């Protein structure tokens, strides 16, 4: 979900020959062609190393670490958004919520507020428009584990805006600045 009044980075244009899905992923298995990355990213030797890639300077998540990979920046913002969602659900919507990435519908009413989906806890139903937007963006970030490579500045913008909108703690965080519109 993109927030009204905000400007967002467009499609990530990487260097050729890594500018389409099939340039980076095997079309049948979707595994990453790591060898393609090693030419520019000398620290990458395995798929796990991809998360350490630093695509830009700065500390977007406000944790003071300017050397962590962009995946770490995104992960910290995801954690802040989830905390914001939980606080907003309990304090504003009036019902605690818990997320389970492996159980549909993913968001459940946390009747006993223990932070886990327990037997008998139903799908969350106390949605407000603001809560639904934030939950949608959180779910999207959770379901794309390669968002750090697919379009990191865009996902950081969406996460930051969601944290702000839900009233979460964005202390120290910085929203990436989208490039100016092309002429």
């Amino acid at each position: 979900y993109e927030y009204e009044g905000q400007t967002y980075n467009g499609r990530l244009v990487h260097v050729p020959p890594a500018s389409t899905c099939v340039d980076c992923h095997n079309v049948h298995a979707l595994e990453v062609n790591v060898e393609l990355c090693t030419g520019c990213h000398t620290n990458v030797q395995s798929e796990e190393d991809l998360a350490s890639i630093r695509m830009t300077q700065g500390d977007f998540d406000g944790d003071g670490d300017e050397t962590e990979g962009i995946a770490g920046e995104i992960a910290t913002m995801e954690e802040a958004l989830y905390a914001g969602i939980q606080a907003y659900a309990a304090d504003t919507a009036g019902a605690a919520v818990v997320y389970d990435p492996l159980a549909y519908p993913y968001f459940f009413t946390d009747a006993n507020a223990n932070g886990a989906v327990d037997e008998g806890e139903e799908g969350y139903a106390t949605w407000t428009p603001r809560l639904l937007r934030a939950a949608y963006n959180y779910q999207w970030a959770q379901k794309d584990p390669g968002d750090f490579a697919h379009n990191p500045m865009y996902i950081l913008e969406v996460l930051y805006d969601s944290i702000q909108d839900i009233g979460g703690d964005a202390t120290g965080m910085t929203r990436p600045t989208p490039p100016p519109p092309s002429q």
Side-chain angles (χ1 to χ4, degrees), residues 12 55 70-72 74-75 78 137-156 159:
L12 173 66
M55 298 182 80
I70 200 72
I74 293 168
E78 288 173 345
N137 287 341
Y138 181 77
Q139 168 74 349
W140 170 48
Q142 294 303 296
K143 294 299 180 179
D144 184 2
D147 55 9
F148 67 90
H150 297 146
N151 201 336
M153 295 301 109
Y154 183 79
I155 192 67
L156 285 169
L159 291 169

PDB file of all heavy atoms in Angstrom, residues 12 55 70-72 74-75 78 137-156 159:
ATOM      1  N   LEU A  12      13.310  -1.028  -9.457  1.00  0.00           N
ATOM      2  CA  LEU A  12      14.759  -1.051  -9.281  1.00  0.00           C
ATOM      3  C   LEU A  12      15.394  -1.463 -10.604  1.00  0.00           C
ATOM      4  O   LEU A  12      15.113  -2.535 -11.137  1.00  0.00           O
ATOM      5  CB  LEU A  12      15.165  -2.038  -8.186  1.00  0.00           C
ATOM      6  CG  LEU A  12      16.663  -2.256  -8.026  1.00  0.00           C
ATOM      7  CD1 LEU A  12      17.342  -0.984  -7.537  1.00  0.00           C
ATOM      8  CD2 LEU A  12      16.944  -3.405  -7.083  1.00  0.00           C
ATOM      9  N   MET A  55      23.660  -1.695  -0.371  1.00  0.00           N
ATOM     10  CA  MET A  55      23.377  -1.060  -1.648  1.00  0.00           C
ATOM     11  C   MET A  55      23.481   0.456  -1.602  1.00  0.00           C
ATOM     12  O   MET A  55      23.454   1.115  -2.628  1.00  0.00           O
ATOM     13  CB  MET A  55      21.993  -1.482  -2.141  1.00  0.00           C
ATOM     14  CG  MET A  55      21.911  -2.976  -2.374  1.00  0.00           C
ATOM     15  SD  MET A  55      20.346  -3.499  -3.000  1.00  0.00           S
ATOM     16  CE  MET A  55      20.542  -3.091  -4.723  1.00  0.00           C
ATOM     17  N   ILE A  70      21.691  -4.297   3.631  1.00  0.00           N
ATOM     18  CA  ILE A  70      20.390  -3.647   3.496  1.00  0.00           C
ATOM     19  C   ILE A  70      19.279  -4.551   4.037  1.00  0.00           C
ATOM     20  O   ILE A  70      18.252  -4.062   4.519  1.00  0.00           O
ATOM     21  CB  ILE A  70      20.144  -3.196   2.038  1.00  0.00           C
ATOM     22  CG1 ILE A  70      19.062  -2.127   1.959  1.00  0.00           C
ATOM     23  CG2 ILE A  70      19.843  -4.369   1.124  1.00  0.00           C
ATOM     24  CD1 ILE A  70      19.469  -0.793   2.484  1.00  0.00           C
ATOM     25  N   ALA A  71      19.495  -5.862   4.006  1.00  0.00           N
ATOM     26  CA  ALA A  71      18.506  -6.792   4.572  1.00  0.00           C
ATOM     27  C   ALA A  71      18.326  -6.546   6.067  1.00  0.00           C
ATOM     28  O   ALA A  71      17.214  -6.656   6.590  1.00  0.00           O
ATOM     29  CB  ALA A  71      18.919  -8.236   4.314  1.00  0.00           C
ATOM     30  N   GLY A  72      19.402  -6.193   6.770  1.00  0.00           N
ATOM     31  CA  GLY A  72      19.307  -5.884   8.196  1.00  0.00           C
ATOM     32  C   GLY A  72      18.526  -4.616   8.451  1.00  0.00           C
ATOM     33  O   GLY A  72      17.770  -4.522   9.425  1.00  0.00           O
ATOM     34  N   ILE A  74      16.099  -3.492   6.581  1.00  0.00           N
ATOM     35  CA  ILE A  74      14.694  -3.845   6.340  1.00  0.00           C
ATOM     36  C   ILE A  74      14.134  -4.648   7.512  1.00  0.00           C
ATOM     37  O   ILE A  74      13.023  -4.390   7.975  1.00  0.00           O
ATOM     38  CB  ILE A  74      14.558  -4.604   5.006  1.00  0.00           C
ATOM     39  CG1 ILE A  74      14.879  -3.666   3.838  1.00  0.00           C
ATOM     40  CG2 ILE A  74      13.170  -5.214   4.861  1.00  0.00           C
ATOM     41  CD1 ILE A  74      15.063  -4.370   2.497  1.00  0.00           C
ATOM     42  N   ALA A  75      14.902  -5.625   7.998  1.00  0.00           N
ATOM     43  CA  ALA A  75      14.428  -6.476   9.102  1.00  0.00           C
ATOM     44  C   ALA A  75      14.097  -5.658  10.348  1.00  0.00           C
ATOM     45  O   ALA A  75      13.085  -5.910  11.010  1.00  0.00           O
ATOM     46  CB  ALA A  75      15.474  -7.546   9.428  1.00  0.00           C
ATOM     47  N   GLU A  78      10.854  -3.942   9.766  1.00  0.00           N
ATOM     48  CA  GLU A  78       9.755  -4.908   9.856  1.00  0.00           C
ATOM     49  C   GLU A  78       9.387  -5.157  11.318  1.00  0.00           C
ATOM     50  O   GLU A  78       8.213  -5.223  11.672  1.00  0.00           O
ATOM     51  CB  GLU A  78      10.134  -6.226   9.180  1.00  0.00           C
ATOM     52  CG  GLU A  78      10.190  -6.146   7.668  1.00  0.00           C
ATOM     53  CD  GLU A  78      10.734  -7.405   7.031  1.00  0.00           C
ATOM     54  OE1 GLU A  78      11.331  -8.253   7.740  1.00  0.00           O
ATOM     55  OE2 GLU A  78      10.585  -7.546   5.804  1.00  0.00           O
ATOM     56  N   ASN A 137       1.051  -4.180   4.323  1.00  0.00           N
ATOM     57  CA  ASN A 137       2.453  -3.940   4.006  1.00  0.00           C
ATOM     58  C   ASN A 137       3.382  -4.853   4.790  1.00  0.00           C
ATOM     59  O   ASN A 137       4.407  -5.309   4.272  1.00  0.00           O
ATOM     60  CB  ASN A 137       2.810  -2.468   4.223  1.00  0.00           C
ATOM     61  CG  ASN A 137       2.224  -1.589   3.143  1.00  0.00           C
ATOM     62  OD1 ASN A 137       1.851  -2.058   2.071  1.00  0.00           O
ATOM     63  ND2 ASN A 137       2.136  -0.300   3.415  1.00  0.00           N
ATOM     64  N   TYR A 138       3.027  -5.151   6.030  1.00  0.00           N
ATOM     65  CA  TYR A 138       3.831  -6.079   6.825  1.00  0.00           C
ATOM     66  C   TYR A 138       3.802  -7.477   6.194  1.00  0.00           C
ATOM     67  O   TYR A 138       4.847  -8.112   6.033  1.00  0.00           O
ATOM     68  CB  TYR A 138       3.314  -6.131   8.269  1.00  0.00           C
ATOM     69  CG  TYR A 138       4.129  -7.051   9.132  1.00  0.00           C
ATOM     70  CD1 TYR A 138       5.371  -6.649   9.614  1.00  0.00           C
ATOM     71  CD2 TYR A 138       3.677  -8.326   9.444  1.00  0.00           C
ATOM     72  CE1 TYR A 138       6.141  -7.499  10.391  1.00  0.00           C
ATOM     73  CE2 TYR A 138       4.437  -9.180  10.225  1.00  0.00           C
ATOM     74  CZ  TYR A 138       5.666  -8.763  10.690  1.00  0.00           C
ATOM     75  OH  TYR A 138       6.426  -9.612  11.458  1.00  0.00           O
ATOM     76  N   GLN A 139       2.626  -7.939   5.834  1.00  0.00           N
ATOM     77  CA  GLN A 139       2.483  -9.259   5.208  1.00  0.00           C
ATOM     78  C   GLN A 139       3.286  -9.319   3.913  1.00  0.00           C
ATOM     79  O   GLN A 139       3.964 -10.302   3.644  1.00  0.00           O
ATOM     80  CB  GLN A 139       0.997  -9.561   4.953  1.00  0.00           C
ATOM     81  CG  GLN A 139       0.717 -10.744   4.065  1.00  0.00           C
ATOM     82  CD  GLN A 139       0.957 -12.085   4.711  1.00  0.00           C
ATOM     83  OE1 GLN A 139       1.529 -12.199   5.789  1.00  0.00           O
ATOM     84  NE2 GLN A 139       0.542 -13.138   4.045  1.00  0.00           N
ATOM     85  N   TRP A 140       3.215  -8.276   3.108  1.00  0.00           N
ATOM     86  CA  TRP A 140       3.944  -8.229   1.849  1.00  0.00           C
ATOM     87  C   TRP A 140       5.445  -8.351   2.110  1.00  0.00           C
ATOM     88  O   TRP A 140       6.151  -9.124   1.447  1.00  0.00           O
ATOM     89  CB  TRP A 140       3.603  -6.943   1.106  1.00  0.00           C
ATOM     90  CG  TRP A 140       4.456  -6.675  -0.083  1.00  0.00           C
ATOM     91  CD1 TRP A 140       4.779  -7.551  -1.091  1.00  0.00           C
ATOM     92  CD2 TRP A 140       5.116  -5.453  -0.400  1.00  0.00           C
ATOM     93  NE1 TRP A 140       5.582  -6.940  -2.004  1.00  0.00           N
ATOM     94  CE2 TRP A 140       5.808  -5.648  -1.610  1.00  0.00           C
ATOM     95  CE3 TRP A 140       5.167  -4.217   0.221  1.00  0.00           C
ATOM     96  CZ2 TRP A 140       6.555  -4.647  -2.206  1.00  0.00           C
ATOM     97  CZ3 TRP A 140       5.900  -3.214  -0.384  1.00  0.00           C
ATOM     98  CH2 TRP A 140       6.583  -3.437  -1.579  1.00  0.00           C
ATOM     99  N   ALA A 141       5.960  -7.603   3.082  1.00  0.00           N
ATOM    100  CA  ALA A 141       7.387  -7.664   3.402  1.00  0.00           C
ATOM    101  C   ALA A 141       7.778  -9.054   3.904  1.00  0.00           C
ATOM    102  O   ALA A 141       8.849  -9.557   3.577  1.00  0.00           O
ATOM    103  CB  ALA A 141       7.734  -6.599   4.442  1.00  0.00           C
ATOM    104  N   GLN A 142       6.902  -9.690   4.678  1.00  0.00           N
ATOM    105  CA  GLN A 142       7.199 -11.019   5.202  1.00  0.00           C
ATOM    106  C   GLN A 142       7.233 -12.071   4.096  1.00  0.00           C
ATOM    107  O   GLN A 142       8.003 -13.016   4.157  1.00  0.00           O
ATOM    108  CB  GLN A 142       6.161 -11.428   6.256  1.00  0.00           C
ATOM    109  CG  GLN A 142       6.186 -10.584   7.499  1.00  0.00           C
ATOM    110  CD  GLN A 142       7.538 -10.594   8.163  1.00  0.00           C
ATOM    111  OE1 GLN A 142       8.004 -11.629   8.622  1.00  0.00           O
ATOM    112  NE2 GLN A 142       8.199  -9.458   8.200  1.00  0.00           N
ATOM    113  N   LYS A 143       6.390 -11.910   3.115  1.00  0.00           N
ATOM    114  CA  LYS A 143       6.263 -12.930   2.069  1.00  0.00           C
ATOM    115  C   LYS A 143       7.260 -12.751   0.926  1.00  0.00           C
ATOM    116  O   LYS A 143       7.295 -13.570   0.010  1.00  0.00           O
ATOM    117  CB  LYS A 143       4.826 -12.964   1.522  1.00  0.00           C
ATOM    118  CG  LYS A 143       3.814 -13.426   2.561  1.00  0.00           C
ATOM    119  CD  LYS A 143       4.122 -14.825   3.040  1.00  0.00           C
ATOM    120  CE  LYS A 143       3.127 -15.303   4.064  1.00  0.00           C
ATOM    121  NZ  LYS A 143       3.389 -16.655   4.532  1.00  0.00           N
ATOM    122  N   ASP A 144       8.062 -11.692   0.958  1.00  0.00           N
ATOM    123  CA  ASP A 144       9.117 -11.517  -0.037  1.00  0.00           C
ATOM    124  C   ASP A 144      10.461 -11.479   0.676  1.00  0.00           C
ATOM    125  O   ASP A 144      10.991 -10.400   0.967  1.00  0.00           O
ATOM    126  CB  ASP A 144       8.912 -10.237  -0.852  1.00  0.00           C
ATOM    127  CG  ASP A 144       9.961 -10.089  -1.955  1.00  0.00           C
ATOM    128  OD1 ASP A 144      10.816 -10.986  -2.124  1.00  0.00           O
ATOM    129  OD2 ASP A 144       9.944  -9.055  -2.640  1.00  0.00           O
ATOM    130  N   PRO A 145      11.038 -12.647   0.963  1.00  0.00           N
ATOM    131  CA  PRO A 145      12.315 -12.664   1.678  1.00  0.00           C
ATOM    132  C   PRO A 145      13.464 -12.074   0.859  1.00  0.00           C
ATOM    133  O   PRO A 145      14.524 -11.807   1.405  1.00  0.00           O
ATOM    134  CB  PRO A 145      12.537 -14.149   1.974  1.00  0.00           C
ATOM    135  CG  PRO A 145      11.745 -14.859   0.924  1.00  0.00           C
ATOM    136  CD  PRO A 145      10.557 -13.987   0.641  1.00  0.00           C
ATOM    137  N   GLY A 146      13.249 -11.837  -0.421  1.00  0.00           N
ATOM    138  CA  GLY A 146      14.277 -11.227  -1.261  1.00  0.00           C
ATOM    139  C   GLY A 146      14.042  -9.755  -1.507  1.00  0.00           C
ATOM    140  O   GLY A 146      14.637  -9.173  -2.409  1.00  0.00           O
ATOM    141  N   ASP A 147      13.186  -9.123  -0.687  1.00  0.00           N
ATOM    142  CA  ASP A 147      12.881  -7.710  -0.911  1.00  0.00           C
ATOM    143  C   ASP A 147      14.130  -6.834  -0.845  1.00  0.00           C
ATOM    144  O   ASP A 147      14.196  -5.796  -1.488  1.00  0.00           O
ATOM    145  CB  ASP A 147      11.784  -7.202   0.017  1.00  0.00           C
ATOM    146  CG  ASP A 147      12.051  -7.425   1.495  1.00  0.00           C
ATOM    147  OD1 ASP A 147      13.167  -7.833   1.874  1.00  0.00           O
ATOM    148  OD2 ASP A 147      11.118  -7.205   2.286  1.00  0.00           O
ATOM    149  N   PHE A 148      15.153  -7.277  -0.111  1.00  0.00           N
ATOM    150  CA  PHE A 148      16.397  -6.516  -0.020  1.00  0.00           C
ATOM    151  C   PHE A 148      17.111  -6.443  -1.366  1.00  0.00           C
ATOM    152  O   PHE A 148      17.888  -5.528  -1.614  1.00  0.00           O
ATOM    153  CB  PHE A 148      17.336  -7.111   1.041  1.00  0.00           C
ATOM    154  CG  PHE A 148      17.853  -8.481   0.683  1.00  0.00           C
ATOM    155  CD1 PHE A 148      19.024  -8.637  -0.032  1.00  0.00           C
ATOM    156  CD2 PHE A 148      17.139  -9.619   1.062  1.00  0.00           C
ATOM    157  CE1 PHE A 148      19.494  -9.904  -0.356  1.00  0.00           C
ATOM    158  CE2 PHE A 148      17.599 -10.879   0.747  1.00  0.00           C
ATOM    159  CZ  PHE A 148      18.784 -11.027   0.026  1.00  0.00           C
ATOM    160  N   ALA A 149      16.833  -7.394  -2.244  1.00  0.00           N
ATOM    161  CA  ALA A 149      17.435  -7.393  -3.578  1.00  0.00           C
ATOM    162  C   ALA A 149      16.453  -6.913  -4.640  1.00  0.00           C
ATOM    163  O   ALA A 149      16.844  -6.287  -5.614  1.00  0.00           O
ATOM    164  CB  ALA A 149      17.926  -8.798  -3.932  1.00  0.00           C
ATOM    165  N   HIS A 150      15.182  -7.204  -4.437  1.00  0.00           N
ATOM    166  CA  HIS A 150      14.186  -6.866  -5.458  1.00  0.00           C
ATOM    167  C   HIS A 150      13.953  -5.364  -5.579  1.00  0.00           C
ATOM    168  O   HIS A 150      13.825  -4.838  -6.680  1.00  0.00           O
ATOM    169  CB  HIS A 150      12.873  -7.593  -5.171  1.00  0.00           C
ATOM    170  CG  HIS A 150      13.018  -9.070  -5.250  1.00  0.00           C
ATOM    171  ND1 HIS A 150      12.315  -9.918  -4.438  1.00  0.00           N
ATOM    172  CD2 HIS A 150      13.790  -9.852  -6.043  1.00  0.00           C
ATOM    173  CE1 HIS A 150      12.648 -11.171  -4.726  1.00  0.00           C
ATOM    174  NE2 HIS A 150      13.552 -11.156  -5.691  1.00  0.00           N
ATOM    175  N   ASN A 151      13.860  -4.662  -4.460  1.00  0.00           N
ATOM    176  CA  ASN A 151      13.700  -3.203  -4.488  1.00  0.00           C
ATOM    177  C   ASN A 151      13.806  -2.672  -3.054  1.00  0.00           C
ATOM    178  O   ASN A 151      12.803  -2.316  -2.442  1.00  0.00           O
ATOM    179  CB  ASN A 151      12.368  -2.797  -5.120  1.00  0.00           C
ATOM    180  CG  ASN A 151      12.389  -1.374  -5.626  1.00  0.00           C
ATOM    181  OD1 ASN A 151      13.174  -0.552  -5.161  1.00  0.00           O
ATOM    182  ND2 ASN A 151      11.524  -1.067  -6.568  1.00  0.00           N
ATOM    183  N   PRO A 152      15.021  -2.627  -2.517  1.00  0.00           N
ATOM    184  CA  PRO A 152      15.183  -2.290  -1.100  1.00  0.00           C
ATOM    185  C   PRO A 152      14.730  -0.884  -0.715  1.00  0.00           C
ATOM    186  O   PRO A 152      14.150  -0.704   0.349  1.00  0.00           O
ATOM    187  CB  PRO A 152      16.684  -2.465  -0.862  1.00  0.00           C
ATOM    188  CG  PRO A 152      17.306  -2.339  -2.206  1.00  0.00           C
ATOM    189  CD  PRO A 152      16.308  -2.883  -3.168  1.00  0.00           C
ATOM    190  N   MET A 153      14.977   0.093  -1.556  1.00  0.00           N
ATOM    191  CA  MET A 153      14.580   1.460  -1.190  1.00  0.00           C
ATOM    192  C   MET A 153      13.061   1.576  -1.154  1.00  0.00           C
ATOM    193  O   MET A 153      12.497   2.233  -0.270  1.00  0.00           O
ATOM    194  CB  MET A 153      15.163   2.489  -2.153  1.00  0.00           C
ATOM    195  CG  MET A 153      16.687   2.571  -2.121  1.00  0.00           C
ATOM    196  SD  MET A 153      17.350   3.003  -0.494  1.00  0.00           S
ATOM    197  CE  MET A 153      18.079   1.463   0.013  1.00  0.00           C
ATOM    198  N   TYR A 154      12.385   0.912  -2.064  1.00  0.00           N
ATOM    199  CA  TYR A 154      10.926   0.951  -2.102  1.00  0.00           C
ATOM    200  C   TYR A 154      10.335   0.307  -0.847  1.00  0.00           C
ATOM    201  O   TYR A 154       9.461   0.884  -0.202  1.00  0.00           O
ATOM    202  CB  TYR A 154      10.411   0.268  -3.362  1.00  0.00           C
ATOM    203  CG  TYR A 154       8.910   0.319  -3.508  1.00  0.00           C
ATOM    204  CD1 TYR A 154       8.285   1.476  -3.958  1.00  0.00           C
ATOM    205  CD2 TYR A 154       8.117  -0.776  -3.189  1.00  0.00           C
ATOM    206  CE1 TYR A 154       6.904   1.537  -4.099  1.00  0.00           C
ATOM    207  CE2 TYR A 154       6.736  -0.726  -3.327  1.00  0.00           C
ATOM    208  CZ  TYR A 154       6.131   0.433  -3.774  1.00  0.00           C
ATOM    209  OH  TYR A 154       4.769   0.494  -3.900  1.00  0.00           O
ATOM    210  N   ILE A 155      10.814  -0.877  -0.474  1.00  0.00           N
ATOM    211  CA  ILE A 155      10.251  -1.547   0.700  1.00  0.00           C
ATOM    212  C   ILE A 155      10.562  -0.740   1.954  1.00  0.00           C
ATOM    213  O   ILE A 155       9.729  -0.660   2.861  1.00  0.00           O
ATOM    214  CB  ILE A 155      10.714  -3.026   0.824  1.00  0.00           C
ATOM    215  CG1 ILE A 155       9.890  -3.771   1.876  1.00  0.00           C
ATOM    216  CG2 ILE A 155      12.181  -3.145   1.156  1.00  0.00           C
ATOM    217  CD1 ILE A 155       8.453  -3.973   1.538  1.00  0.00           C
ATOM    218  N   LEU A 156      11.741  -0.105   2.026  1.00  0.00           N
ATOM    219  CA  LEU A 156      12.048   0.746   3.180  1.00  0.00           C
ATOM    220  C   LEU A 156      11.091   1.927   3.261  1.00  0.00           C
ATOM    221  O   LEU A 156      10.651   2.298   4.349  1.00  0.00           O
ATOM    222  CB  LEU A 156      13.498   1.235   3.117  1.00  0.00           C
ATOM    223  CG  LEU A 156      14.572   0.209   3.473  1.00  0.00           C
ATOM    224  CD1 LEU A 156      15.950   0.737   3.100  1.00  0.00           C
ATOM    225  CD2 LEU A 156      14.508  -0.177   4.941  1.00  0.00           C
ATOM    226  N   LEU A 159       7.670   0.515   4.452  1.00  0.00           N
ATOM    227  CA  LEU A 159       7.721   0.163   5.871  1.00  0.00           C
ATOM    228  C   LEU A 159       7.752   1.420   6.744  1.00  0.00           C
ATOM    229  O   LEU A 159       7.018   1.513   7.729  1.00  0.00           O
ATOM    230  CB  LEU A 159       8.929  -0.727   6.159  1.00  0.00           C
ATOM    231  CG  LEU A 159       8.881  -2.135   5.572  1.00  0.00           C
ATOM    232  CD1 LEU A 159      10.239  -2.817   5.704  1.00  0.00           C
ATOM    233  CD2 LEU A 159       7.787  -2.972   6.214  1.00  0.00           C
TER     234      LEU A 159
END
